[in-house]
Amino acid sequence: MCLGVPGKITEIYQANDLLMGKIDFGGVIREACLSYVPEAKIGDYALIHVGFALNLLSEVEAKETLDLLNQIADIENELGPA
Amino acid sequence: MKHIDEYRDASLAKKIAAEISRQCNKHWTIMEICGGQTHSIMRYGLDQLLPETLELVHGPGCPVCVTALELIDKALFIAAQPKTIFASYGDMLRVPGSSGDLFSVRADGGDIRTVYSPLDAVKIAQQNPDKEVVFFGIGFETTAPANAMSVRLAKSLGIKNYSMLVSHVRVPPAMEAILSSPTNRVQGFLAAGHVCTVMGCWEYPSISQKHGVPIVVTGFEPVDILNGILKTIIQLENGQARVENAYPRLVTFEGNTQAQKIINEVFETCDRNWRGIGMIPLSGWRINPDFADFDAEIKFDVGDISTEESQLCIAGKILQGLKKPNECSEFGVSCKPEHPLGATMVSSEGACAAYYRYRFINSLSQGN
């Protein structure tokens, strides 16, 4: 129920009083409400849950998290198996 | 897929697991709140990568599982009414009520439809002006923005035949309840990443300080979960207890303030009965009086319903982290996903369903 999936916003438009968009999930296109992320731009990634974008994904934070984890992995390589 | 595949990298996951083993010297018990995380842990076998001194217990973060039996019975009552379309997320259809489930109401001629989004239910109401359309609004803070928006939209569009049977629950009061229990074993929490995408982290520092437990906001992919566990273990081994965000690509401290604003406009806080656990003060949301016309409990005058729970099911103990699914005598015997005794065997986030799908079936196929 709380599972959300990140998808790429490919279209933004108004419909039925709501800000809506088309979201690309690796080739599968779905519609989602963007009213909670009015700052969204085409090309942004958003977390989609039950047809709503709950937040935009920060590419900067994503890169930083992976960089930090890869540093841990490098240290593990030097130490060998635990 | 971008922003998913990177976090399923097996080699990176194994290295983080090795670092957890290196950091973990004492025995620790950590609870992952969210059932989605429980499923990831079982699906990818993450618990088997961890040291034996680290125990993961599974939390109550499965909205289908904790929706009160009384609410399920009210849903069955409303769904059986003439000229009524009952719309629900698919997970709810097989959840056992006191007598039967929504599937059995459908078999008896009830018009029950599964929808992907509450906006689909609003559309059904627009297309069927001669029928009452009731949406089963269950879920945690993650789902609340969508459900709240559907009510607000129906009001702004003047749609009179749409209403919601609300069973919303909130995570922080449940964490308080678990930590305050005399039988509590939880020493650290993985907080639910998508709940925090909406609500932020601001509700957690007071809980962390009061109970002296680390709370680490954690995502759902294997690398995310191991990262959350690593941060929790480092805090525990160093005698720290603070809120840490291991999911910053989607979670900020303040959360999505626009979503919180709409939730507070449509819902108000209330006491809520959790199935298997009992009443937790101020742990729910209900429709506030300004939107009373959209409250299905008022519209259908369901009143009080007497309920009857299975005597064999130990879902309550499982949801509080006191028992594991495979410790239940009925697990895989009289209780299976196709014939569940309790909701934890139904939901895609239920701990019993996760153990059944990823452990029990595998052990059978391997002849163990």
Side-chain angles (χ1 to χ4, degrees), chain B residues 109-130:
Chain B
D111 191 347
I112 295 169
R113 306 192 190 178
T114 55
V115 291
Y116 162 67
S117 165
L119 295 185
D120 299 336
V122 175
K123 257 185 221 157
I124 293 171
Q126 285 178 301
Q127 291 159 357
N128 295 274
D130 57 332

Side-chain angles (χ1 to χ4, degrees), chain B residues 338-354:
Chain B
E338 56 270 28
H339 298 292
L341 291 180
T344 43
M345 185 56 99
V346 179
S347 170
S348 58
E349 290 165 290
C352 297

Side-chain angles (χ1 to χ4, degrees), chain A residues 1-2 4 16 25-26 36 38 45 47 49-52 54-55 57-59 61-62 65 69 72-73 76-77 79, chain B residues 1-3 15 18-19 22 63 89 116-117 142-143 145-146 153 194 197 223 227 248-250 256 258-259 262 349:
Chain A
M1 173 76 44
C2 292
N16 238 354
F25 300 99
Y36 292 129
Y45 276 79
L47 181 79
H49 172 67
V50 296
F52 282 72
L54 296 184
N55 225 342
L57 189 145
S58 164
E59 302 269 0
E61 293 287 359
T65 298
L69 290 172
I72 291 171
E76 285 301 321
N77 272 346
L79 292 174
Chain B
M1 232 159 53
K2 195 180 173 193
H3 296 301
K15 284 168 184 161
E19 179 65 10
R22 209 169 65 80
Y89 299 121
Y116 162 67
S117 165
T142 321
T143 314
L153 179 70
H194 292 163
T197 301
V223 164
N227 186 24
R249 66 185 184 275
L250 279 164
N256 187 327
Q258 315 224 28
I262 301 297
E349 290 165 290

